[in-house]
Amino acid sequence: MKTLTPSRIIKSLVLFIVLVAADLVTKALAASRLGTPLPLINNVLEFHYLENHGAAFSLLQDARVFFIIITAIFLAVALYVLIKVPNTRRFLLMRLTILVIMAGAVGNLVDRIVFGYVRDFIYFSLIDFPIFNVADIYVSVGVAVLVLLILFVYKNEDFDFLSLK
């Protein structure tokens, strides 16, 4: 199994920072400029600023400490897995997917720590979908891709790298 090279670590770190920065910048823009909802496609999609004190779909309102602890545990596990994933082309998509999920988790974690809530601003009014943000997209799409990879790309023995042996 190939080990991580300094070059690979730097590339991963740069991608992670860019993703987190993109999330935080879009949230800052939404918070500073969206006094009223801004339709992008009438009756379909709009920017609508909301301060979410809960989790997805506003569940578990005001459980800030709980979310910070759960996110920290998740990030520790994800980092462990990311370090253990073989540094081969076969696992590139898995490594990228884990990085994207981690970036989403960190983007929302920063909001919870700094503001006490998560700044959401993307609203699909057509289906009255809960308001979300870029970090939520990272997590949702990343988890979906990871599930597809686990179900259809990798075999059980491909995960031997996670063995504690």
Side-chain angles (χ1 to χ4, degrees):
M1 172 172 30
K2 294 181 183 178
T3 60
L4 286 176
T5 63
S7 170
R8 184 67 51 105
I9 293 169
I10 291 169
K11 288 176 186 176
S12 296
L13 192 56
V14 167
L15 174 61
F16 177 79
I17 290 168
V18 167
L19 290 171
V20 172
D23 172 61
L24 295 175
V25 166
T26 58
K27 289 174 180 174
L29 287 170
S32 68
R33 304 220 172 151
L34 287 176
T36 59
L38 174 65
L40 299 175
I41 303 171
N42 281 334
N43 300 316
V44 176
L45 178 66
E46 64 185 54
F47 287 149
H48 185 116
Y49 181 71
L50 171 77
E51 294 172 354
N52 184 353
H53 293 262
F57 311 112
S58 296
L59 297 172
L60 298 170
Q61 289 292 306
D62 299 317
R64 178 181 180 205
V65 174
F66 171 75
F67 290 124
I68 290 171
I69 292 168
I70 291 299
T71 304
I73 292 168
F74 164 77
L75 288 169
V77 170
L79 183 59
Y80 171 80
V81 172
L82 186 62
I83 290 168
K84 297 292 263 177
V85 172
N87 186 26
T88 63
R89 180 174 291 284
R90 174 162 173 67
F91 288 97
L92 175 63
L93 191 53
M94 178 180 280
R95 288 193 312 271
L96 290 173
T97 301
I98 293 168
L99 268 176
V100 168
I101 296 169
M102 289 176 68
V106 167
N108 283 341
L109 179 64
V110 168
D111 269 13
R112 287 187 200 290
I113 291 170
V114 173
F115 302 107
Y117 53 82
V118 174
R119 300 169 292 173
D120 290 333
F121 62 93
I122 303 169
Y123 177 54
F124 280 107
S125 55
L126 178 68
I127 58 173
D128 194 26
F129 194 80
I131 301 171
F132 57 97
N133 61 46
V134 173
D136 297 336
I137 295 169
Y138 294 163
V139 172
S140 299
V141 172
V143 167
V145 169
L146 192 57
V147 166
L148 291 173
L149 289 172
I150 291 168
L151 291 176
F152 300 110
V153 175
Y154 301 114
K155 297 176 175 67
N156 285 343
E157 55 272 12
D158 287 328
F159 295 99
D160 287 348
F161 66 86
L162 291 175
S163 172
L164 295 176
K165 298 181 214 176

